[in-house]
Amino acid sequence: MKTIATHRPYWFFFSLFACAPSTANATDFSDFTLEDLLEVSITGASKYEQKQGKVAAAVSVISRNEIKAFGWRTLSEALNSLPGMYSTYDRQYSYIGTRGLGVPGDYNSRVLLTINGNRVNDTVYDQALIGREFQIDLDLVECIEFIPGPGSAVYGQNALFGVINIVTRSGASVDGAELAAAYQSPQAAKEGRATWGKKLDNGLDILLSASGYKSKGDNLFFDYGKSGISGIANDMDGERDKEYFAQLARGPWSFDFSYGNRRKDDPTADFLNDPLVPGQYQQDKSMLTQLQYQDKFSDDTLQLSGRLFSGRERYTGEGHSSGEHFKYTGSSDWWGSELRLLSTALRHHKLMLGLEYQDNGRRDQTLTDFNHLTDPLKNANITGSGWRQGLYGQDEWALSEHLSLTVGLRIDRNSFTKQTLSPRLGVIWQPTSETTIKTMYGRAYRAPNAYERDYADQYQTANPNLINETIDTLELVVDKRVSPSLRLHGSIYQWNMQRPIVQTTDSVSGLLQFKNDNDVNAHGIEVGIDKTWSGGGRLRGSLNYQTAQYSGGVTLHNSPHLMGKLNFSSPLPVTGLSLGYELQSYSKRETIINGTYSGGYVLSNLNLTANKWIKGTELSLGIYNLFDKQYSQPTSDSNWQNTIRQDGRQIRLKAIYRF
Amino acid sequence: MTRNIQKFIYFFWGMLLLPMGSALATDTIEICELKAAFIYNFTLFVTWPKNNNYLRMCVLGESTYFPQMKTYEGRSVNGATIRIERVTSADDARGCQVLLIGESEQDQINSITKKLKDSPVLTISESGNFSPDAVHILLTRHLDRMAFDINQTAAKASGLSFSFKMLKLARNVY
């Protein structure tokens, strides 16, 4: 298993050997204490997180080793291992719930997803794609960073419940070619990947990769609720996905490009389409690219980073409604730039100043009724464009050896709503080197997106009066290192969301419309443990309790009160195998359609990896939903079904060959 | 709309032109800096049998983080000024207080430490096993962090002692 630290050395200026460059912003470790150094996470090239004890957030990092150990296939599976996170799958997309908020019908617009710091959320739906639809193959991920809580003070809109940053591997980390193939039963899912990466003698680091996936899916029985129809949806659960990734880095420059094209057949007949009719699907073609520059000046006290980025998302959905053939599209094009300065020139201060601008050149939505192409009521062509810009500043002020203060503010403007302020305040107290206590306050926001604001057809009406939703979060985090191999963690939090944008039925017209709804209040508590053993074993566990309610006292839909997570990984002596076992438990969740509950459930996943059985080959066997637990998750009110049954036991065999 | 494009163009050129001021790129990664910081920190918790004006930190063979080690030159540790030097053999290293055995010498670790076992030289490497005459400190990765193991038996035999705090922070003490 290769890591940054064990890269093959290469020639470099004055030394024969040197470390591989990375997109990392170089933290100055020269004044760190030994305790501090032991806390530095070295999983990836994080722009935002190096020293977890000193960051004004309860950052979680999922390393590549963990992704391999547990055999996670999608981003949502990896995120599910984190405290308080729960995903929901409607056999089309995966949705992530955090801190009690996972409202059915929310397209992950309340978390910000980034690839190497570059925003993935599109500009029509604000959607963070976290299932198979995410455009990066998980084998190419160096680490996943999750910064929970409000992140708008630095990152701008959508970071209401957190920022998920994907750090990709470097060419040096691949150092050669990799071929991967996997087969999963009973879905008859085949996948393959070819990757080449190298750091050339001239310092250029290159990574190129292509992946493909094809699944027949399951033949599931569905009850299509009030349509009165039920039956087995044969061959309607297929999925196809193609992913391409390219990355070039040299010195302070780096460039990356990713593209994904994923199509998922819809057996559920979502949007109240005609049940059991084949050929209904959702498709997303997502492209994202950026050019980054990052370097240090003035005796390393000034760090400058700049980036140019561009993104493109093409959504297409087809369905049949009352015998008529419909097609929906949503198209986003955007580009922009960000400039950031980080200065440590002033003693005890770490000042950051940034400016971001994004032009949303295209935000188009269409509806086509192939049976009535000329009927204006049954067709729609809504075009739009817009922009957003933000100016932000932050200071990390070390008041003393034990106490530091983080103050940040971002001012955002966009073409839809008025100016928004997102402040942030964190007090970090380290009474001893083993204990860190953080108190944090932050405000984050989200502007209404083009779908919520502009879309109109015969079922939905537009709402140009929508305003931003905002969230205020207060959190207390205690982190205690009992010994170098045992850490305990606890946090309590409360959040208050003002004017959340939710889909409602307009009482006058009877049409669906997005409106700013009643405030939501929530509070929760979470405890966690992280224990390692010198033999290489690690146990990570968490327990989470929360309640989230509208101001009238009504509990949020799809919001489990209690969650438990346990992840254990260890080499198995003698056998040459490594084991990864995860156990997750979720309490019941209220459904949106008839207000009943989808029952609580306990899930087990097991993954075995053999590194040394065959030279250059890594074999793994993953058994997901080990005990074949039958369970369901709530759907949104555009579905016939109240809940959707999830996959039973799945077995995946995977081989990675390196040369 | 055109105003926004104009703004964007200003950003673009601002971003491209600003960095032109500096031609030299710092091309090192945090891990190098991190490891160098560990080596420096270790010296704060070790007691040598006799005090010197200089604390000679020597590197045998090639180490990826020699450049980062250099940045600690001139710092003072308990009254001794740090010097970062290269040495070419174990015999050369007898006058050093610290010897970092570079990645290129990993195969020779046992013979190097054997030669130095009676000299008060703190030996550090990133690989090796712990026998009575092996390296004193093993710097290693453990999951997503760096960790270190201490060979107290070997260090004592060489006349070196570690502070209690360092022993407490070590992953393993042998």
Side-chain angles (χ1 to χ4, degrees):
Chain A
M1 170 170 23
K2 280 181 186 167
T3 57
I4 293 171
T6 53
H7 284 158
R8 181 182 295 174
Y10 67 98
W11 296 83
F12 181 71
F13 299 139
F14 44 89
S15 165
L16 274 173
F17 295 77
C19 281
S22 81
T23 50
N25 102 36
T27 306
D28 183 8
F29 295 119
S30 61
D31 290 320
F32 277 36
T33 65
L34 202 49
E35 290 96 327
D36 290 342
L37 293 172
L38 288 167
E39 272 197 58
V40 176
S41 166
I42 51 176
T43 43
S46 162
K47 192 189 290 185
Y48 318 107
E49 180 276 327
Q50 278 302 333
K51 215 175 129 193
Q52 304 192 4
K54 294 261 165 82
V55 172
V59 181
S60 298
V61 179
I62 296 174
S63 68
R64 195 164 109 71
N65 295 348
E66 282 180 278
I67 296 171
K68 283 207 271 190
F70 296 105
W72 290 317
R73 299 162 294 182
T74 61
L75 185 54
S76 72
E77 287 183 336
L79 293 171
N80 267 337
S81 73
L82 297 178
M85 300 197 90
Y86 58 103
S87 69
T88 307
Y89 179 55
D90 63 1
R91 308 211 77 86
Q92 299 166 79
Y93 294 102
S94 293
Y95 311 96
I96 196 75
T98 46
R99 293 189 169 177
L101 186 111
V103 184
D106 169 13
Y107 295 129
N108 297 328
S109 61
R110 286 155 178 130
V111 288
L112 177 64
L113 175 63
T114 61
I115 298 170
N116 297 324
N118 193 13
R119 175 181 283 261
V120 175
N121 301 60
D122 71 300
T123 65
V124 171
Y125 306 99
D126 273 339
Q127 187 168 6
L129 303 168
I130 59 154
R132 180 69 64 180
E133 59 275 17
F134 179 54
Q135 66 227 62
I136 301 280
D137 190 316
L138 231 51
D139 280 354
L140 302 179
V141 174
E142 183 64 45
C143 71
I144 302 165
E145 300 165 338
F146 179 59
I147 310 163
S152 290
V154 176
Y155 306 97
Q157 67 174 26
N158 301 102
L160 278 80
F161 286 90
V163 181
I164 303 161
N165 184 37
I166 307 301
V167 178
T168 54
R169 289 168 71 189
S170 63
S173 133
V174 176
D175 194 29
E178 276 184 19
L179 292 176
Y183 183 81
Q184 181 181 307
S185 179
Q187 286 78 15
K190 293 168 233 163
E191 60 185 301
R193 172 175 65 88
T195 304
W196 181 81
K198 202 140 203 99
K199 173 138 189 155
L200 305 179
D201 290 345
N202 63 10
L204 182 67
D205 185 283
I206 309 175
L207 178 69
L208 300 168
S209 187
S211 311
Y213 175 86
K214 194 172 181 183
S215 166
K216 276 176 71 73
D218 288 307
N219 294 329
L220 299 166
F221 174 85
F222 286 102
D223 182 348
Y224 296 89
K226 61 186 180 212
S227 75
I229 299 172
S230 61
I232 294 173
N234 274 314
D235 289 328
M236 289 183 210
D237 190 37
E239 186 167 21
R240 294 201 301 252
D241 186 24
K242 288 191 200 90
E243 291 168 358
Y244 303 99
F245 182 70
Q247 184 170 270
L248 296 170
R250 186 176 182 179
W253 294 94
S254 61
F255 167 82
D256 64 62
F257 168 90
S258 58
Y259 175 82
N261 177 353
R262 178 264 199 178
R263 176 186 147 138
K264 175 73 184 62
D265 293 338
D266 175 19
T268 69
D270 194 4
F271 307 107
L272 306 182
N273 283 336
D274 296 342
L276 301 175
V277 174
Q280 313 197 81
Y281 70 91
Q282 318 279 348
Q283 183 169 29
D284 290 271
K285 298 179 188 172
S286 322
M287 188 279 288
L288 201 63
T289 185
Q290 72 172 339
L291 175 69
Q292 261 186 301
Y293 175 89
Q294 193 164 79
D295 210 346
K296 298 208 288 191
F297 303 90
S298 315
D299 293 332
D300 293 351
T301 59
L302 182 69
Q303 185 195 299
L304 172 88
S305 9
R307 57 189 196 96
L308 285 174
F309 57 90
S310 142
R312 182 187 151 112
E313 157 74 23
R314 296 285 181 270
Y315 159 76
T316 309
E318 283 193 62
H320 297 268
S321 182
S322 309
E324 292 174 17
H325 181 193
F326 284 95
K327 178 176 169 179
Y328 299 85
T329 69
S331 307
S332 315
D333 283 339
W334 68 93
W335 44 268
S337 63
E338 185 173 10
L339 186 68
R340 180 184 301 194
L341 291 168
L342 188 70
S343 169
T344 48
L346 207 61
R347 211 169 127 76
H348 302 310
H349 288 268
K350 198 170 173 181
L351 278 162
M352 179 167 75
L353 200 64
L355 202 52
E356 188 187 10
Y357 175 77
Q358 179 176 318
D359 184 272
N360 301 323
R362 183 172 178 188
R363 320 168 104 162
D364 299 347
Q365 303 169 76
T366 68
L367 164 64
T368 310
D369 181 342
F370 291 106
N371 298 74
H372 300 90
L373 284 168
T374 51
D375 184 345
L377 272 176
K378 294 185 169 178
N379 293 274
N381 186 8
I382 300 144
T383 57
S385 62
W387 52 270
R388 61 176 189 90
Q389 63 181 45
L391 171 69
Y392 58 94
Q394 180 173 288
D395 184 25
E396 282 177 48
W397 182 14
L399 294 161
S400 80
E401 202 187 323
H402 303 289
L403 193 66
S404 75
L405 195 67
T406 300
V407 189
L409 180 70
R410 177 161 167 145
I411 306 165
D412 277 296
R413 291 174 60 212
N414 67 65
S415 47
F416 280 177
T417 55
K418 61 182 174 35
Q419 180 169 298
T420 310
L421 293 182
S422 307
R424 167 187 200 205
L425 183 70
V427 181
I428 301 168
W429 181 41
Q430 289 186 294
T432 68
S433 56
E434 288 84 25
T435 310
T436 308
I437 298 167
K438 303 176 186 180
T439 314
M440 294 166 292
Y441 161 78
R443 170 173 284 191
Y445 86 104
R446 178 173 80 92
N449 58 48
Y451 173 63
E452 292 161 338
R453 187 179 180 272
D454 300 336
Y455 188 75
D457 62 13
Q458 54 185 332
Y459 306 110
Q460 182 172 326
T461 174
N463 186 357
N465 298 320
L466 281 177
I467 56 170
N468 290 341
E469 64 177 34
T470 55
I471 187 170
D472 286 295
T473 304
L474 196 61
E475 186 173 6
L476 178 75
V477 177
V478 181
D479 196 79
K480 171 98 186 149
R481 196 178 62 220
V482 180
S483 76
S485 65
L486 177 65
R487 306 170 69 91
L488 299 175
H489 154 266
S491 92
I492 49 173
Y493 58 83
Q494 65 170 61
W495 55 263
N496 170 260
M497 193 189 273
Q498 297 104 42
R499 308 171 303 277
I501 300 165
V502 295
Q503 196 173 39
T504 57
T505 305
D506 185 75
S507 53
V508 182
S509 63
L511 293 172
L512 292 170
Q513 188 180 39
F514 281 94
K515 283 184 178 162
N516 289 103
D517 203 358
N518 292 332
D519 292 6
V520 179
N521 291 298
H523 45 265
I525 181 162
E526 128 194 340
V527 288
I529 180 170
D530 194 336
K531 165 84 184 146
T532 57
W533 289 272
S534 51
R538 181 178 181 188
L539 178 77
R540 172 157 76 80
S542 68
L543 209 57
N544 192 280
Y545 177 82
Q546 69 228 321
T547 58
Q549 294 180 327
Y550 286 105
S551 50
V554 179
T555 302
L556 253 61
H557 296 112
N558 193 26
S559 177
H561 286 308
L562 198 60
M563 272 173 270
K565 313 282 174 84
L566 213 58
N567 283 67
F568 177 72
S569 56
S570 174
L572 295 176
V574 190
T575 59
L577 287 168
S578 308
L579 167 130
Y581 172 73
E582 68 180 331
L583 183 71
Q584 295 174 352
S585 153
Y586 302 88
S587 67
K588 64 182 181 183
R589 315 180 188 180
E590 194 177 346
T591 64
I592 203 161
I593 293 182
N594 60 15
T596 57
Y597 289 92
S598 68
Y601 55 91
V602 177
L603 276 188
S604 279
N605 302 321
L606 180 73
N607 189 56
L608 290 166
T609 311
N611 263 326
K612 296 179 184 121
W613 285 8
I614 308 169
K615 199 170 185 299
T617 307
E618 182 183 300
L619 295 169
S620 64
L621 172 73
I623 309 172
Y624 308 87
N625 193 356
L626 185 62
F627 300 111
D628 203 17
K629 168 79 186 166
Q630 287 193 23
Y631 67 107
S632 302
Q633 292 171 343
T635 57
S636 78
D637 50 6
S638 63
N639 286 84
W640 295 111
Q641 303 85 355
N642 186 39
T643 62
I644 297 234
R645 201 172 129 191
Q646 302 295 307
D647 287 331
R649 186 188 300 121
Q650 309 130 66
I651 299 173
R652 184 179 77 156
L653 200 60
K654 182 174 178 180
I656 302 176
Y657 176 57
R658 298 191 173 84
F659 56 99
Chain B
M1 189 61 208
T2 34
R3 263 191 60 215
N4 292 328
I5 289 171
Q6 212 172 14
K7 267 185 238 161
F8 177 75
I9 290 166
Y10 286 146
F11 269 110
F12 180 87
W13 285 111
M15 264 175 41
L16 287 182
L17 291 175
L18 260 167
M20 301 290 173
S22 157
L24 188 76
T26 49
D27 195 17
T28 55
I29 198 191
E30 301 220 309
I31 287 210
C32 285
E33 298 188 0
L34 181 64
K35 288 180 180 173
F38 264 102
I39 310 287
Y40 163 72
N41 263 275
F42 291 150
T43 64
L44 305 175
F45 300 103
V46 176
T47 313
W48 281 267
K50 99 180 198 284
N51 290 328
N52 297 289
N53 290 338
Y54 291 103
L55 187 103
R56 292 178 61 199
M57 295 173 71
C58 303
V59 179
L60 177 59
E62 290 303 337
S63 166
T64 53
Y65 44 103
F66 185 77
Q68 286 74 26
M69 299 270 298
K70 269 283 184 196
T71 61
Y72 290 90
E73 193 152 58
R75 282 208 190 200
S76 171
V77 175
N78 302 325
T81 307
I82 292 181
R83 273 186 176 176
I84 310 288
E85 300 172 20
R86 282 187 188 280
V87 289
T88 50
S89 71
D91 294 322
D92 261 11
R94 279 188 218 282
C96 306
Q97 275 70 47
V98 178
L99 179 69
L100 173 66
I101 303 170
E103 292 97 292
S104 61
E105 310 300 306
Q106 301 293 349
D107 301 341
Q108 324 292 325
I109 285 183
N110 285 345
S111 70
I112 294 166
T113 51
K114 214 168 224 163
K115 278 184 185 167
L116 291 172
K117 68 175 178 181
D118 298 321
S119 315
V121 183
L122 179 74
T123 51
I124 305 172
S125 86
E126 288 188 58
S127 64
N129 52 359
F130 275 146
S131 57
D133 50 356
V135 285
H136 302 142
I137 299 176
L138 180 71
L139 184 62
T140 182
R141 279 178 80 121
H142 185 59
L143 301 170
D144 64 334
R145 311 273 152 103
M146 295 301 298
F148 61 92
D149 294 341
I150 289 179
N151 188 345
Q152 206 184 1
T153 324
K156 265 188 185 153
S158 305
L160 305 170
S161 60
F162 295 103
S163 77
F164 176 69
K165 185 174 173 188
M166 184 158 165
L167 294 171
K168 209 177 102 192
L169 291 173
R171 183 181 61 169
N172 294 307
V173 176
Y174 296 95

